[in-house]
C-alpha cells in the first residue's frame, strides 16, 4: 500500500512537467532565410525547452528514499521494453 502511495506521489510531482513544449503554432523564419515546406530538424528541436525535474523528498521515509533508485532502474528497463515493442531497434530511428 505504501508503494502505491509513493508511485502516485512520484507520478504526480514529476510527470506533468517532464516534457514541455512551447505552445506557439507558427515558427518565425530565421533572419535572412525563407522557409518553404516542413521545418528543419533544428527548427523542430528549437520548439522544445529543457525542464529540470524536481521532487520534494522531505515527506518520504528512509525506506522510500532507498526505493527511488530501484524505481528509476525499473523505469529504464520498461523504457527499453517500450522501444522494442513500439518501434523495434531504437537506434535505427534515432
Amino acid at each position: 500500500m505504501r508503494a502505491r502511495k509513493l508511485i502516485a506521489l512520484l507520478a504526480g510531482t514529476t510527470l506533468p512537467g517532464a516534457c514541455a513544449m512551447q505552445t506557439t503554432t507558427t515558427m518565425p523564419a530565421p533572419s535572412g532565410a525563407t522557409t518553404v515546406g516542413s521545418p528543419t530538424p533544428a527548427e523542430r528541436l528549437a520548439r522544445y525547452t529543457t525542464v529540470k525535474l524536481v521532487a520534494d523528498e522531505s515527506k518520504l521515509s528512509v525506506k522510500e528514499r532507498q526505493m527511488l533508485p530501484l524505481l528509476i532502474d525499473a523505469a529504464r528497463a520498461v523504457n527499453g521494453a517500450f522501444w522494442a515493442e513500439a518501434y523495434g531497434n531504437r537506434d535505427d530511428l534515432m
Side-chain angles (χ1 to χ4, degrees):
M1 188 64 162
R2 277 186 114 185
R4 286 184 186 176
K5 287 181 183 178
L6 177 62
I7 291 171
L9 172 72
L10 292 174
T13 57
T14 59
L15 293 181
C19 295
M21 183 172 168
Q22 296 175 355
T23 57
T24 56
T25 56
T26 59
M27 287 183 20
S31 59
T34 58
T35 57
V36 177
S38 63
T40 65
E43 291 169 333
R44 288 192 305 260
L45 186 60
R47 294 179 188 173
Y48 294 90
T49 183
T50 302
V51 177
K52 183 176 180 181
L53 297 178
V54 294
D56 181 15
E57 298 177 18
S58 65
K59 297 180 182 178
L60 301 178
S61 70
V62 173
K63 293 261 185 197
E64 290 169 337
R65 285 191 200 113
Q66 291 172 346
M67 191 184 338
L68 288 176
L70 300 173
L71 291 171
I72 292 169
D73 290 342
R76 287 187 179 123
V78 170
N79 186 47
F82 164 80
W83 275 103
E85 288 191 17
Y87 186 78
N89 188 354
R90 177 184 177 265
D91 295 335
D92 288 346
L93 177 64
M94 297 301 185

